[in-house]
């Protein structure tokens, strides 16, 4: 598909029109809440799966909101007379938000999707027609420069990002601008880059239509547009991380061999961070025969950075190839061409001795410590988004543990984290449980086995007594030598603090 098939984008020089359009959309309740109320939960959820039939059925009336949904979300031509009193139609046609369709109709040139900000903001995500749901797939062969909207990966990254106030933020591979939009809430200065100039144009439209100050938009790959002397407090990226043979689709294929793009991104981020700054990415990584995947990822972490890397899922090479072939709509095309592309994907993996591909989150934090902490783990279980505060707290606890040896730990005071419950596991009727499990109902929703001492210790942590005094009391209760108990328990306390079951008081 050639670039000529993509619709011309609205002008970024007419921000006054974007402001007027925003006012008109809000006045008609063209918002996330307004859509939910109009469409109902099933049709609204179907839209997120790129299924439009339920929404078409729900917008057969003649209200202004129904007309706007058909126009901007469902890409249906709408009689000009229906939106004349709702939108500044002439200005929208002149600046390119709308185009004439037939004698009496108008049609949208871009998808405009309401998006609720974390503080209740009414934002709008702009994307190419038919591509509002990033990574939904199955819409036929896409132009290599198409700009997708919000998908699961976008919202995942937005949810895990640490949201403390910062002076500067960098969004690498901005796409439709969702990460830049979020960053603008808590960063004084936002810089956004993308290899695709069309994506930068769309980001400018997203920010303008959302009523957010413009970002510093720069064209180029990864850190190329960033000056040598520039550093940031926050770096975020949902990069084109798909491991594929070639770089057919700019929005998803990195163009480097294997997982080199993600590795390069992580390795180069360290020198771009200010002290205490965070870099947060989504990524894919290869599971290579004869290699430990966790060691592979540890080797990516740049010097001077703590890291927390979480593998959320893993697919064998056949599942992975099928996922991304379907994403591009290849399964709907010529069967022989589909098979050839599938074969090429498996050839690539076989040549690299790749047996599976992992997906997950990578967080770096610049530290002055001489002993950076690197945690690489697999956690495929449900979590509670947003996780930004959970991520920030993880690194704060690392600092605490690094600064406290076992003796200092025993003088510390701790509280049990909110919504932690204890479960006892054993055979029915048994006098004692086989083991005790502590389970979180917030954040990462972790579960960890503890012994009876660990369970008893956690249960009485309310910040009033030091860890050492609690252990002395437990020793007296169970008839154990308090010195021995103090000697063997700090390792268990460290684990409970590291995983967020206990918090320093």
């Amino acid at each position: 598909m050639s670039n000529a098939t993509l619709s011309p984008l609205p002008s970024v020089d007419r921000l006054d029109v974007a402001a007027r359009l925003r006012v008109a959309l809000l006045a008609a309740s063209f918002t996330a809440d307004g859509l939910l109320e109009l469409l109902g939960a099933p049709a609204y959820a179907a839209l997120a799966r790129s299924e439009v039939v339920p929404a078409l059925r729900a917008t057969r009336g003649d209200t202004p909101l129904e007309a706007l949904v058909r126009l901007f979300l469902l890409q249906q031509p709408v009689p000009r007379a229906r939106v004349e009193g709702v939108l500044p139609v002439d200005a929208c046609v002149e600046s390119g938000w709308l185009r004439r369709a037939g004698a009496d109709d108008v049609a949208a040139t871009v998808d405009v999707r309401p998006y609720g900000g974390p503080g209740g903001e009414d934002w709008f995500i702009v994307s190419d027609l038919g591509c509002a749901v990033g990574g939904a797939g199955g819409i036929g062969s896409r132009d290599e420069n198409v700009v997708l909207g919000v998908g699961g990966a976008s919202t995942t990254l937005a949810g895990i990002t640490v949201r403390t106030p910062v002076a500067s933020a960098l969004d690498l591979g901005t796409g439709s601008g969702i990460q830049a939009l979020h960053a603008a809430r808590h960063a004084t200065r936002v810089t956004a880059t993308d290899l695709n100039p069309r994506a930068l144009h769309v980001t400018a439209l997203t920010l303008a239509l959302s009523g957010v100050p413009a970002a510093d938009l720069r064209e180029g790959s990864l850190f190329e547009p960033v000056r040598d002397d520039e550093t940031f407090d926050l770096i975020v990226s949902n990069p084109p991380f798909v491991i594929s043979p070639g770089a057919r689709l700019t929005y998803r294929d990195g163009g480097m061999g294997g997982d080199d793009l993600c590795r390069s991104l992580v390795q180069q981020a360290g020198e771009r961070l200010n002290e205490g700054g965070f870099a947060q990415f989504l990524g894919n990584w290869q599971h290579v025969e004869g290699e430990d995947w966790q060691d592979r990822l540890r080797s990516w972490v740049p010097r001077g950075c703590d890291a927390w890397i979480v593998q959320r899922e893993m697919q064998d090479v056949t599942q992975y190839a099928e996922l991304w072939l379907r994403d591009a709509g290849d399964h709907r095309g010529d069967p022989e061409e589909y098979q050839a592309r599938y074969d090429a994907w498996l050839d690539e993996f076989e040549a690299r001795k790749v047996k599976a591909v992992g997906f997950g989150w990578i967080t770096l934090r610049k530290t002055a410590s001489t002993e950076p902490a690197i945690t690489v783990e697999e956690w495929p279980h449900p979590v509670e988004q947003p996780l930004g505060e959970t991520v920030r707290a993880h690194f704060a606890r690392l600092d605490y543990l690094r600064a406290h040896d076992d003796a200092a730990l025993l003088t510390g005071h701790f509280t049990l984290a909110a919504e932690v419950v204890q479960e006892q596991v054993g055979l029915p009727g048994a006098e004692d449980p086989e083991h005790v499990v502590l389970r979180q109902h917030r954040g990462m929703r972790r579960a960890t086995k503890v012994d009876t001492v660990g369970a008893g210790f956690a249960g009485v942590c309310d910040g009033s007594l030091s860890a050492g005094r609690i252990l002395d009391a437990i020793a007296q209760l169970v008839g154990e030598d308090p010195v021995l108990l103090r000697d063997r328990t700090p390792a268990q306390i460290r684990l409970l603090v590291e995983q967020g079951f206990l918090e320093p008081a």
Side-chain angles (χ1 to χ4, degrees), residues 282-356:
L282 301 184
N284 274 165
W285 41 80
Q286 298 172 151
H287 286 239
V288 180
E289 288 179 26
E291 277 188 29
D292 182 293
W293 69 270
Q294 294 179 317
D295 289 342
R296 179 184 186 83
L297 289 174
R298 283 189 190 95
S299 73
W300 290 7
V301 178
R303 287 183 181 180
C305 287
D306 293 323
W308 184 18
I309 301 173
V310 181
Q311 179 168 284
R312 294 290 290 153
E313 60 181 283
M314 182 182 71
Q315 294 180 309
D316 67 46
V317 291
T318 59
Q319 293 173 314
Y320 187 80
E322 289 162 17
L323 169 69
W324 293 109
L325 286 165
R326 286 179 174 274
D327 170 84
D330 291 330
H331 61 303
R332 295 184 174 178
D334 180 350
E336 287 189 10
E337 190 174 339
Y338 173 82
Q339 289 179 12
R341 283 184 170 151
Y342 197 152
D343 216 22
W345 224 302
L346 296 185
D347 282 345
E348 177 91 356
F349 285 135
E350 188 176 321
R352 295 179 177 276
K353 298 184 177 179
V354 176
K355 56 185 180 180

Side-chain angles (χ1 to χ4, degrees), residues 422-428 430 432-437 439 449:
Q422 176 180 308
E423 300 173 359
Q424 296 187 351
V425 181
L427 292 173
D432 296 310
E434 290 179 25
H435 56 261
V436 178
V437 173
R439 187 178 301 279
K449 288 182 185 178

Side-chain angles (χ1 to χ4, degrees), residues 33-117:
D33 289 342
L35 289 190
L36 183 58
E37 186 176 341
L38 170 68
L39 302 178
Y44 190 63
L47 269 182
R49 302 189 299 269
S50 292
E51 296 291 350
V52 299
V53 172
L56 283 168
R57 293 173 61 86
T59 54
R60 291 180 289 195
D62 58 2
T63 66
L65 181 54
E66 286 169 296
L68 294 180
V69 170
R70 285 188 163 248
L71 187 64
F72 287 115
L73 262 65
L74 306 179
Q75 278 90 60
Q76 301 291 309
V78 172
R80 182 186 179 111
R82 279 197 65 188
V83 291
E84 198 90 65
V86 182
L87 300 175
V89 175
D90 288 338
C92 286
V93 170
E94 181 189 342
S95 60
W97 288 95
L98 300 176
R99 62 176 178 81
R100 293 181 179 86
D104 302 312
D105 293 347
V106 290
T109 59
V110 287
D111 189 294
V112 175
R113 187 150 305 219
Y115 179 82

Side-chain angles (χ1 to χ4, degrees), residues 360-388:
W361 320 324
I362 298 174
T363 299
L364 307 177
R365 185 191 58 167
K366 194 70 172 284
T367 178
S369 173
T370 55
E371 297 180 5
I374 300 174
T375 302
V376 183
E377 62 176 322
E378 186 166 20
W379 190 253
H381 311 294
V383 298
E384 182 189 51
Q385 285 275 32
L387 278 168

